[in-house]
Structure formats: structure tokens, C-alpha cells
Amino acid sequence: MSKEKKVTAAPLEDCPIKKHTTKSWFAALILGIFFGLAVIVPGVSGSTIAIIFGFYAGMLYGLGNILNDFKRCFAFLLPIGIGAIVGFGAGFLLLKELFEAYVFQVVCLFVGLMIGAIPALTREIKGEKISALRGILFVVGFAIPLAIGGLSILLMGGEENTATLTFSVRTLLAYIPLGFVVAITQIVPGLSATAILMAFGQFKPILNSIDKDVLLGEPLIILMLVALVLGFGVGIICISKIFSAILKKHKGTAFFMVIGLSFGSIASMFLNTDVYTVYVDWATNGISVPTLIISAVLLAVGFVGSFLLTKYELSHNES
């Protein structure tokens, strides 16, 4: 007697993943680029962009069920993965240098982009009642990114970290749970992977170590990076399943904290070690008026562009 095959994938009508059209494929590619950029620029939240484009539920399902519904999930996640590689590569090769030279201006551009996307978040709680619990969750969510940013400054002392990684078994093992924590930032909207790594004092050492000469000088560093990726992969699958279940049962309440996290993330972009060095320079040499003017213009440009795109996507999805 043959055993009945266990079906673990969601029925087609219940699955949030839909087959990509040409437009949605390229939209998913753009989403992936933002995920890649999130590794370089503090405060950028790929999950928030996923909400704007209407891919968030599908992304959670795809990441959480990639092992038991591989074909469907892989096809949905493929353009996001390609975009993430492109975004990280572009961010590392191009934006990294630009970010280091014009950190405050770049941050203001991305702050504008995040502020313009707020309507996509507030839409999720439209008509929801405000309770004491939901208010507390909003405040807690708002405080978390600020606390992480402040912690990164305290731990780093506001100094530029030019160190590279040094291999040790202890650090190798620590990088697995660190990768898991970084995975949380990619699932929960409003959290920044960069800010988390800064808080642990690992952002610049990791970035400085992704270099041919460094890796050739100490090849075992590659094992540390693999451990980080391994923890990240396990975390992505586990956290996607958990957060998908939370949203399914308590979406309204959960989004009050999500919006708090997003608002706190926007504020925390001005509270991290990279931007802190700008403040120290201003305190020593005086505030640069041209920098402030250019930054204000970039913030406005980012806001207008993101706001118009968000309004278009929201009206398109409703229609």
C-alpha cells in the first residue's frame, strides 16, 4: 500500500504568491536593489519597500516556505535575489565611496525616500482602533531603532573604525547568531541591518574585510563570512514563518509596532556612528551651509519621488 504524499505547500487560492508579470518582475527587481543597498546605507528598510510594492505577504511566504514549496517560491523570489546582488554590488563599489565622502547628503536623500513611503504603512492601519496596547507597541517600536543607533555611538565612541576582521573560533561561532539577528532586520519593516551591525561594532570591520588583499592575507576570514551568511539564511526562513503567522492573526496590532519601527528608523538615520562623525566635524570646524542646502534639496527630491511612486502604487493596487 502506497503512503499518501504529504502536501505542505499552500493551495493556489490561499497562496499570496502570484506568477510574475513583466511589470511585477521588474518591480521585484527594484525591491531587491533596495535590499542590497540596505547593507550599505543605515536606515534603509527593504521590507518597507516590499509593503509599498505590495510584495510583503508574498515575500514572507516565499522566504518561509522555500524548502517545501521550492518551485513557486524560487520563481517569485528570483528577481528580488538578482536585485539584491545588484544593489549590494552597486552599493559596495559606488555608493560606499559616495557615502563616505557625502554621508549627510546621502542620508538625507534616503530619509526623504522613507518619509515619502509613509502612506503605504499608514494604509495598513486605516480604520483600526487605537488602544493602550497598540499605543505602547508604537512607542516601543519607535524607540528600538533609536536605542540601537545610540548604542552604536556609545560602543564605537564616535570614532572611525578602520579595523578588519581577525579570525578566531569564538568570533566564527558568534557570527552565526549575528547573521540570525541581521535576518530579523530584513523581515521586520523599519529595522536596519547596517544599524544592527554598527551597534555590535562589526559593520566597518566586515566592510573593510571584503577586500582581495585582506582575504588573501587571512583566508580564514571567508569562513567567518560564510558563518554570517549561514545564520542569515536560517534566520530568514524562521523569522519569515513567525512574522507571517503573527500578521495573519494580529495584523492590525502588529502594524502599530511596524509603523513605530519605521518612524524610529527614519529618525535613527541621523543617529549612527557615520553621521556622528559629521556632527563632531561641525562642532570643531563649523556647520557647512552648502552641505545643509544640498542635503535639504536631496531630502525634498527623495520625498517627492517616493511619495508620487507610493501614491501611484497604492491607487494602482486599489484599482
Side-chain angles (χ1 to χ4, degrees), residues 285-298:
N285 304 312
I287 297 176
S288 172
V289 176
T291 297
L292 288 179
I293 294 175
I294 294 173
S295 300
V297 171
L298 289 174

Side-chain angles (χ1 to χ4, degrees), residues 258-304:
V258 166
I259 292 175
L261 286 165
S262 298
F263 283 15
S265 177
I266 293 171
S268 70
M269 291 184 74
F270 293 107
L271 187 67
N272 57 70
T273 54
D274 288 304
V275 178
Y276 183 75
T277 59
V278 176
Y279 300 152
V280 172
D281 179 70
W282 285 354
T284 304
N285 304 312
I287 297 176
S288 172
V289 176
T291 297
L292 288 179
I293 294 175
I294 294 173
S295 300
V297 171
L298 289 174
L299 192 152
V301 169
F303 169 77
V304 172

Side-chain angles (χ1 to χ4, degrees), residues 41-59:
V41 182
V44 177
S45 174
S47 296
T48 303
I49 306 300
I51 294 173
I52 295 173
F53 284 96
F55 288 146
Y56 190 56
M59 186 186 74

Side-chain angles (χ1 to χ4, degrees), residues 54-65:
F55 288 146
Y56 190 56
M59 186 186 74
L60 287 180
Y61 178 87
L63 293 171
N65 295 275

Side-chain angles (χ1 to χ4, degrees), residues 10-68:
L12 186 60
E13 62 273 12
D14 296 331
C15 180
I17 287 180
K18 306 300 178 185
K19 186 176 180 180
H20 278 305
T21 62
T22 301
K23 179 182 176 181
S24 70
W25 198 95
F26 281 101
L29 181 72
I30 295 173
L31 167 61
I33 291 175
F34 274 95
F35 270 106
L37 288 175
V39 179
I40 306 297
V41 182
V44 177
S45 174
S47 296
T48 303
I49 306 300
I51 294 173
I52 295 173
F53 284 96
F55 288 146
Y56 190 56
M59 186 186 74
L60 287 180
Y61 178 87
L63 293 171
N65 295 275
I66 186 68
L67 298 179
N68 58 295

